[in-house]
């Protein structure tokens, strides 16, 4: 009969692994992202209690970036960033896609004005943005 310690070594929850691999700062945040549909496990929407497998494919969104990673290792302990990066590998297609989107964002970046708009300019911007409701 297996003991609890043997089960823990082989069974790692998705939310705990994402926290241990340093994708999210807390397990609660990892759970919130999974429940919010930001994390997909092998092409399907994940659940926090999903047991992880080696070579599984995880797609997750962090801010404006979407990453697709392959699981290389399992752990329940949060360690250094160097060790955490050994637990997964980002796919080449994911890296290329993120770089392409990042470059497009840089090209469309709006220049920052030299000063803040005054009251009249602010009202004009609000009318332009939300339409003239009056």
């Amino acid at each position: 009969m297996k003991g609890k310690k043997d089960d823990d070594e082989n069974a790692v929850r998705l939310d705990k692994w994402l926290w241990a691999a340093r994708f999210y700062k807390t397990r609660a945040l990892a759970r919130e992202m999974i429940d919010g549909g930001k994390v997909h496990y092998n092409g399907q929407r994940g659940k926090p209690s999903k047991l992880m497998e080696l070579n599984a494919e995880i797609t997750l969104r962090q801010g404006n970036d979407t990453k697709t990673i392959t699981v290389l290792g399992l752990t329940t302990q949060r360690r250094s960033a160097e060790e955490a990066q050994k637990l997964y590998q980002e796919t080449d297609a994911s890296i290329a896609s993120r770089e392409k989107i990042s470059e497009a964002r840089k090209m469309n970046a709006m220049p920052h004005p030299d000063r803040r708009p005054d009251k009249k300019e602010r009202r004009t911007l609000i009318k332009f943005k939300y339409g003239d409701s009056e």
Side-chain angles (χ1 to χ4, degrees), residues 109-123:
M110 293 183 59
H112 294 286
D114 295 333
R115 62 178 177 77
R116 293 178 59 182
D118 60 19
K119 190 171 186 176
K120 184 177 180 182
E121 292 170 337
R122 229 180 357 262
R123 286 181 180 162

Side-chain angles (χ1 to χ4, degrees), residues 22 37 40 75 87 114:
R22 296 184 166 263
H40 290 251
T75 186
L87 297 175
D114 295 333

Side-chain angles (χ1 to χ4, degrees), residues 11-24:
V12 180
R13 292 170 49 108
L14 179 58
D15 60 344
K16 196 166 192 175
W17 187 86
L18 288 171
W19 166 77
R22 296 184 166 263
F23 285 105
Y24 300 107

Side-chain angles (χ1 to χ4, degrees), residues 32-107:
E32 187 179 315
M33 292 297 137
I34 295 167
D35 287 337
K38 306 261 188 293
V39 178
H40 290 251
Y41 183 84
N42 284 338
Q44 296 182 346
R45 191 169 170 169
K47 291 185 177 181
S49 61
K50 176 71 177 162
L51 296 179
M52 299 284 296
E53 300 168 347
L54 290 177
N55 297 320
E57 187 174 280
I58 298 176
T59 304
L60 54 107
R61 284 187 27 215
Q62 291 181 305
N64 293 327
D65 293 332
T66 301
K67 295 180 182 178
T68 303
I69 60 168
T70 304
V71 178
L72 301 178
L74 300 175
T75 186
T76 58
Q77 294 182 334
R78 187 173 171 106
R79 304 245 172 131
S80 68
E82 291 83 25
E83 290 181 41
Q85 288 177 346
K86 295 176 183 174
L87 297 175
Y88 63 90
Q89 180 178 8
E90 189 172 2
T91 62
D92 294 334
S94 174
I95 294 170
S97 173
R98 280 192 316 115
E99 288 175 354
K100 183 179 174 184
I101 291 170
S102 175
E103 192 63 35
R105 257 198 320 263
K106 287 177 186 174
M107 299 300 280

